[in-house]
Amino acid sequence: MKKYSSYFEPSLKDARKRLHKDTAIINFHMEPRYFDLGKNKKYLIKTYGCQANIADSERIAGLLEAMGYSEVFEDDKSDLILFNTCAIRENAEDRVFGEVGRIKSLKKTNPNLLIGICGCMPQEEKTIKTIKEKHPEVDLVFGTHNIFRLPEYLYEIKEKSEKVFEVFSYEGDIVEDMPVKRDHNKKAWVNITFGCDEFCTYCIVPYTRGKERSRSPEHIINEVKELASNGYKEVTLLGQNVNSYGKDLNIGYTFANLLSDLQKTDIERVRFTTSHPKDLDLATIEVMGRRGNIMPHLHLPVQSGSNTVLKKMNRKYTKEDYINLITALKNAVPDIAITTDIIVGFPTETEEDYLKTLELVKEVGFEGAYTFIYSKREGTPAAKYEDDTPADVKKTRLLNLNKLINEGFLKGNKRFEGKIVKVLVDGESAKNDEMLTGYSEHNKLVNFKGDSSLIGSIVNVKIDKAYTWHLRGTIVK
Ligand code: SAH
Ligand code: SF4
Ligand code: F3S
């Protein structure tokens, strides 16, 4: 296959534009001509990156199954391998191309094998260039805005034996009613916003995912109610900045309103990610304080403890604002577990800036964090900032930060020793099939002995011992 039956290249410059046009809502329906396209065919999706991608992969799987495809987990049994990719850091991108290169030999034994790349990486010009120059084995490329067109792409490839490369760079729309094949039957992801308008100076997401678009409250609430009536116990609301939910709808309905409405539904657990300190408001904290089904855990990325760095990152809050939020949260939800994201080695970060991050970590008492070394993203403002910190200094910063974070992790776990926690049982532990595993309300990983019939239910577990990464306990009535 050489020619393209369809070809559209991305442009990071176009992706940056915000033209303030209304968001279109597309109601998806599958055309009958696609129904049998996947009959007797197998697919495998490899998902990288954040929950937005995990949720997208569930929709891609839904589309493929509606076309008759069935899922497999082995490369050599697949007729279609799709890489749903992430562009957030360079190492995420390198991993994908390594894997694509490894898989191309499978085309020798299965000449009908299709290899596709979708998600955030194709939204960057450089990815398209690399695919065209080095990966002729790739048959299909699409981006984050056109997942719903996948059936058409597979149809075109089959009818014309030509490649499809189609990536759009614009603000984005909302597609409702796509089929979905969820990975879990008790826990579900529920998108509340798509895209991001924050333009943190280091971050590629506003370019790969379009402008911030909120789904309507009705669509979200109905989805959650339906999940609850289908036996789901937990939902995680998804958005790059959930706290700015609703602003684009101009109907005077906020994230606090949404949480409050979901508190009244039958779903047993509500989580949400990611929160932004600039938009997390007291109204939301008050709703969290009423507790009900809102879980006592908050992931609140701080990124840095230095006001100079925060300003250069365009985060639009200060360290003091952040501490005030933490105080308000701890007042409203006294036992809350707080986790965060931190970047070290941001361009111009000095040793003094870094030490301020360590101080903040101690002051807040985070119970976990994702920590990263800054990775330069072409097309973002920070890519032009002077970056004179040597790589080994950045590594040492990360290492020492992680030590401190892990102490906080253990301390946060220790507070549950001797206590009884409620665990939503996910399944058998990967390491030991006599052990069950699941998450507590505070989002702590809990392992305990139990019968597999308990999978999917919420059980009481008395915590015997806390470790850095998990809790171990005994089931109690
Ligand atoms: N919207 C969310 C998640 C963004 S991506 C948020 O604002 O928190 C998840 C994390 O990746 C970010 O919080 C940030 O810590 C990290 N990250 C983003 N861009 C990065 C980059 N260029 N280099 C290193 N880490 C980055
Ligand atoms: Fe990236 Fe900032 Fe948007 Fe998060 S809020 S996705 S870090 S631009
Ligand atoms: Fe990665 Fe795209 Fe998510 S860049 S972090 S998969 S929004």
Side-chain angles (χ1 to χ4, degrees):
M1 272 199 285
K2 280 226 174 66
K3 278 173 33 204
Y4 301 102
S5 80
S6 184
Y7 191 87
F8 267 100
E9 279 201 16
S11 148
L12 287 175
K13 208 166 140 229
D14 288 346
R16 198 187 194 296
K17 288 182 194 152
R18 294 293 189 260
L19 298 177
H20 302 289
K21 69 167 186 65
D22 287 343
T23 302
I25 298 182
I26 299 166
N27 292 305
F28 178 84
H29 76 275
M30 179 84 94
E31 288 187 31
R33 63 176 168 156
Y34 305 138
F35 281 155
D36 279 338
L37 214 58
K39 211 168 142 192
N40 302 323
K41 292 207 179 115
K42 313 265 188 272
Y43 73 94
L44 171 63
I45 306 172
K46 296 174 186 265
T47 308
Y48 303 79
C50 68
Q51 289 92 341
N53 256 16
I54 298 174
D56 282 349
S57 285
E58 293 186 340
R59 293 249 145 41
I60 295 171
L63 286 171
L64 292 171
E65 303 236 339
M67 297 169 71
Y69 278 93
S70 51
E71 189 172 25
V72 285
F73 298 96
E74 296 93 352
D75 297 339
D76 58 359
K77 294 210 174 100
S78 314
D79 303 296
L80 168 65
I81 301 180
L82 265 182
F83 292 82
N84 191 9
T85 61
C86 170
I88 202 85
R89 282 170 293 274
E90 197 168 354
N91 55 7
E93 302 200 330
D94 293 345
R95 263 173 46 216
V96 168
F97 281 125
E99 182 87 340
V100 171
R102 198 179 57 73
I103 263 167
K104 71 175 172 205
S105 64
L106 293 173
K107 284 200 163 186
K108 286 191 195 118
T109 42
N110 180 4
N112 293 323
L113 170 66
L114 294 180
I115 299 179
I117 301 188
C118 62
C120 286
M121 275 172 66
Q123 298 290 146
E124 305 172 291
E125 290 98 333
K126 66 170 185 193
T127 304
I128 303 298
K129 192 165 175 269
T130 308
I131 296 173
K132 286 205 309 207
E133 284 172 5
K134 299 193 183 144
H135 295 279
E137 65 275 14
V138 175
D139 308 288
L140 167 65
V141 178
F142 58 100
T144 56
H145 294 303
N146 47 348
I147 291 172
F148 69 105
R149 288 181 41 79
L150 176 60
E152 173 63 23
Y153 299 151
L154 292 169
Y155 182 80
E156 275 182 38
I157 292 174
K158 180 162 179 272
E159 289 295 302
K160 301 183 186 157
S161 288
E162 289 172 346
K163 296 186 185 212
V164 171
F165 272 43
E166 210 172 271
V167 183
F168 301 129
S169 299
Y170 74 128
E171 296 87 349
D173 302 312
I174 291 182
V175 187
E176 293 290 352
D177 302 329
M178 256 202 278
V180 53
K181 185 192 182 212
R182 298 191 189 267
D183 285 340
H184 203 285
N185 63 4
K186 299 291 167 196
K187 301 201 287 193
W189 309 109
V190 175
N191 295 105
I192 66 166
T193 65
F194 300 99
C196 184
D197 280 344
E198 297 309 330
F199 290 98
C200 301
T201 54
Y202 49 81
C203 184
I204 195 77
V205 174
Y207 307 79
T208 65
R209 295 247 166 206
K211 73 168 179 187
E212 184 179 279
R213 294 97 74 197
S214 301
R215 287 178 76 201
S216 76
E218 295 74 31
H219 277 125
I220 299 167
I221 295 165
N222 288 342
E223 185 174 342
V224 172
K225 283 184 177 163
E226 199 179 315
L227 285 163
S229 68
N230 287 334
Y232 278 80
K233 296 211 153 80
E234 179 175 305
V235 293
T236 302
L237 311 177
L238 295 183
Q240 298 298 342
N241 171 2
V242 291
N243 306 101
S244 66
Y245 170 77
K247 287 183 183 163
D248 56 319
L249 296 173
N250 296 317
I251 51 170
Y253 189 90
T254 64
F255 182 63
N257 295 135
L258 180 66
L259 264 196
S260 172
D261 282 343
L262 293 176
Q263 229 163 15
K264 295 172 200 139
T265 65
D266 291 335
I267 199 82
E268 289 186 57
R269 291 177 161 198
V270 177
R271 302 186 188 278
F272 48 90
T273 199
T274 306
S275 293
H276 195 308
K278 135 184 176 283
D279 290 314
L280 173 62
D281 57 10
L282 294 178
T284 300
I285 295 176
E286 194 205 310
V287 179
M288 291 175 72
R290 283 187 238 145
R291 193 79 158 234
N293 56 6
I294 314 289
M295 292 296 103
H297 164 236
L298 187 70
H299 186 66
L300 191 61
V302 67
Q303 313 299 0
S304 167
S306 151
N307 286 340
T308 327
V309 173
L310 286 172
K311 191 144 202 263
K312 288 217 172 76
M313 288 177 162
N314 191 31
R315 291 289 290 179
K316 304 189 192 92
Y317 55 84
T318 61
K319 176 200 139 183
E320 290 74 23
D321 297 332
Y322 190 88
I323 301 277
N324 288 341
L325 277 178
I326 299 294
T327 310
L329 280 161
K330 287 184 178 171
N331 283 333
V333 190
D335 61 342
I336 193 165
I338 292 166
T339 56
T340 198
D341 289 349
I342 295 170
I343 298 175
V344 299
F346 184 76
T348 73
E349 182 189 70
T350 61
E351 194 63 24
E352 206 187 338
D353 291 321
Y354 167 71
L355 292 175
K356 286 189 180 146
T357 299
L358 296 188
E359 264 168 44
L360 178 91
V361 169
K362 284 186 205 145
E363 192 171 343
V364 174
F366 292 117
E367 300 193 5
Y370 296 108
T371 56
F372 313 98
I373 291 180
Y374 167 74
S375 170
K376 183 173 167 174
R377 304 286 71 205
E378 242 171 67
T380 62
K384 295 200 186 83
Y385 298 173
E386 196 187 338
D387 185 4
D388 53 7
T389 315
D392 59 330
V393 173
K394 293 187 182 185
K395 271 193 197 140
T396 311
R397 284 185 193 163
L398 184 72
L399 224 69
N400 290 331
L401 171 65
N402 284 347
K403 270 190 209 145
L404 196 61
I405 292 293
N406 292 346
E407 283 169 25
F409 217 132
L410 182 61
K411 196 169 161 214
N413 281 348
K414 283 244 182 241
R415 69 187 170 111
F416 293 99
E417 277 184 348
K419 299 232 167 79
I420 293 171
V421 299
K422 286 191 177 2
V423 178
L424 171 52
V425 188
D426 272 336
E428 284 164 359
S429 154
K431 289 187 200 132
N432 176 351
D433 61 12
E434 277 181 25
M435 299 292 280
L436 295 177
T437 178
Y439 284 87
S440 73
E441 295 191 325
H442 295 80
N443 210 32
K444 307 282 180 186
L445 180 64
V446 183
N447 294 327
F448 57 98
K449 234 181 214 150
D451 190 82
S452 59
S453 62
L454 294 171
I455 294 170
S457 57
I458 295 178
V459 298
N460 288 322
V461 177
K462 183 158 188 252
I463 301 305
D464 302 318
K465 191 153 173 55
Y467 301 87
T468 306
W469 311 114
H470 73 280
L471 298 167
R472 211 187 150 110
T474 314
I475 194 158
V476 291
K477 281 265 174 302

Short mmCIF file of all heavy atoms in Angstrom, two decimals, residues 48-50 52-53 85-88 120 204-205 208-209 240, ligand 3:
data_model
loop_
_atom_site.label_atom_id
_atom_site.label_comp_id
_atom_site.label_asym_id
_atom_site.label_seq_id
_atom_site.Cartn_x
_atom_site.Cartn_y
_atom_site.Cartn_z
N TYR A 48 -1.30 4.37 25.52
CA TYR A 48 -0.28 5.10 26.28
C TYR A 48 -0.92 6.37 26.83
O TYR A 48 -1.92 6.84 26.30
CB TYR A 48 0.89 5.48 25.36
CG TYR A 48 1.53 4.30 24.67
CD1 TYR A 48 0.94 3.73 23.55
CD2 TYR A 48 2.71 3.74 25.15
CE1 TYR A 48 1.51 2.64 22.91
CE2 TYR A 48 3.29 2.64 24.52
CZ TYR A 48 2.68 2.10 23.41
OH TYR A 48 3.26 1.02 22.79
N GLY A 49 -0.29 6.94 27.88
CA GLY A 49 -0.74 8.27 28.30
C GLY A 49 -1.81 8.28 29.37
O GLY A 49 -1.92 7.36 30.16
N CYS A 50 -2.61 9.34 29.35
CA CYS A 50 -3.49 9.63 30.48
C CYS A 50 -4.86 8.97 30.34
O CYS A 50 -5.14 8.29 29.36
CB CYS A 50 -3.64 11.14 30.62
SG CYS A 50 -4.56 11.89 29.26
N ALA A 52 -7.57 10.24 29.56
CA ALA A 52 -8.30 10.67 28.36
C ALA A 52 -8.07 9.64 27.25
O ALA A 52 -9.00 9.27 26.52
CB ALA A 52 -7.83 12.05 27.91
N ASN A 53 -6.85 9.16 27.16
CA ASN A 53 -6.54 8.14 26.14
C ASN A 53 -7.15 6.79 26.48
O ASN A 53 -7.61 6.07 25.59
CB ASN A 53 -5.02 8.00 25.99
CG ASN A 53 -4.52 8.68 24.74
OD1 ASN A 53 -5.23 9.49 24.15
ND2 ASN A 53 -3.30 8.36 24.34
N THR A 85 -1.59 6.88 21.21
CA THR A 85 -0.33 7.40 21.74
C THR A 85 -0.44 8.69 22.55
O THR A 85 -1.43 9.40 22.49
CB THR A 85 0.62 7.71 20.56
OG1 THR A 85 -0.02 8.72 19.75
CG2 THR A 85 0.89 6.49 19.72
N CYS A 86 0.65 8.98 23.27
CA CYS A 86 0.74 10.14 24.15
C CYS A 86 1.95 10.98 23.76
O CYS A 86 3.00 10.44 23.44
CB CYS A 86 0.90 9.65 25.58
SG CYS A 86 1.31 10.93 26.77
N ALA A 87 1.80 12.30 23.81
CA ALA A 87 2.88 13.18 23.37
C ALA A 87 3.45 14.02 24.52
O ALA A 87 4.20 14.96 24.29
CB ALA A 87 2.36 14.11 22.27
N ILE A 88 3.09 13.67 25.74
CA ILE A 88 3.38 14.58 26.86
C ILE A 88 4.87 14.74 27.13
O ILE A 88 5.33 15.81 27.49
CB ILE A 88 2.61 14.13 28.13
CG1 ILE A 88 2.43 15.29 29.11
CG2 ILE A 88 3.26 12.96 28.85
CD1 ILE A 88 1.27 16.14 28.86
N CYS A 120 -2.50 11.38 20.60
CA CYS A 120 -1.90 12.72 20.65
C CYS A 120 -0.66 12.88 19.76
O CYS A 120 -0.41 13.97 19.26
CB CYS A 120 -1.57 13.10 22.09
SG CYS A 120 -3.06 13.53 23.02
N ILE A 204 1.89 20.21 25.88
CA ILE A 204 1.46 20.01 24.49
C ILE A 204 -0.06 19.78 24.38
O ILE A 204 -0.63 19.91 23.30
CB ILE A 204 2.27 18.83 23.86
CG1 ILE A 204 2.16 18.79 22.34
CG2 ILE A 204 1.86 17.49 24.43
CD1 ILE A 204 3.00 19.81 21.62
N VAL A 205 -0.69 19.43 25.50
CA VAL A 205 -2.09 18.99 25.45
C VAL A 205 -3.05 19.99 24.78
O VAL A 205 -3.89 19.59 23.97
CB VAL A 205 -2.59 18.59 26.87
CG1 VAL A 205 -4.08 18.27 26.86
CG2 VAL A 205 -1.80 17.40 27.38
N THR A 208 -2.81 19.28 21.19
CA THR A 208 -3.19 17.96 20.67
C THR A 208 -4.67 17.65 20.86
O THR A 208 -5.20 16.75 20.21
CB THR A 208 -2.38 16.81 21.33
OG1 THR A 208 -2.72 16.75 22.71
CG2 THR A 208 -0.89 17.02 21.17
N ARG A 209 -5.33 18.38 21.76
CA ARG A 209 -6.70 18.00 22.11
C ARG A 209 -7.73 19.10 21.86
O ARG A 209 -8.90 18.95 22.21
CB ARG A 209 -6.77 17.61 23.58
CG ARG A 209 -5.98 16.36 23.89
CD ARG A 209 -6.89 15.24 24.29
NE ARG A 209 -6.21 13.98 24.27
CZ ARG A 209 -6.82 12.82 24.09
NH1 ARG A 209 -8.13 12.78 23.92
NH2 ARG A 209 -6.14 11.71 24.09
N GLN A 240 -9.08 17.77 31.54
CA GLN A 240 -7.72 18.25 31.84
C GLN A 240 -7.75 19.26 32.98
O GLN A 240 -6.80 19.38 33.73
CB GLN A 240 -7.06 18.85 30.59
CG GLN A 240 -6.88 17.88 29.45
CD GLN A 240 -5.99 16.69 29.79
OE1 GLN A 240 -5.23 16.74 30.75
NE2 GLN A 240 -6.09 15.64 29.00
FE1 F3S B 3 -0.64 12.26 26.74
FE2 F3S B 3 -2.49 13.27 25.20
FE3 F3S B 3 -3.07 12.56 27.67
S1 F3S B 3 -0.41 13.97 25.35
S2 F3S B 3 -1.17 12.87 28.77
S3 F3S B 3 -2.46 11.20 26.06
S4 F3S B 3 -3.93 14.27 26.57
#
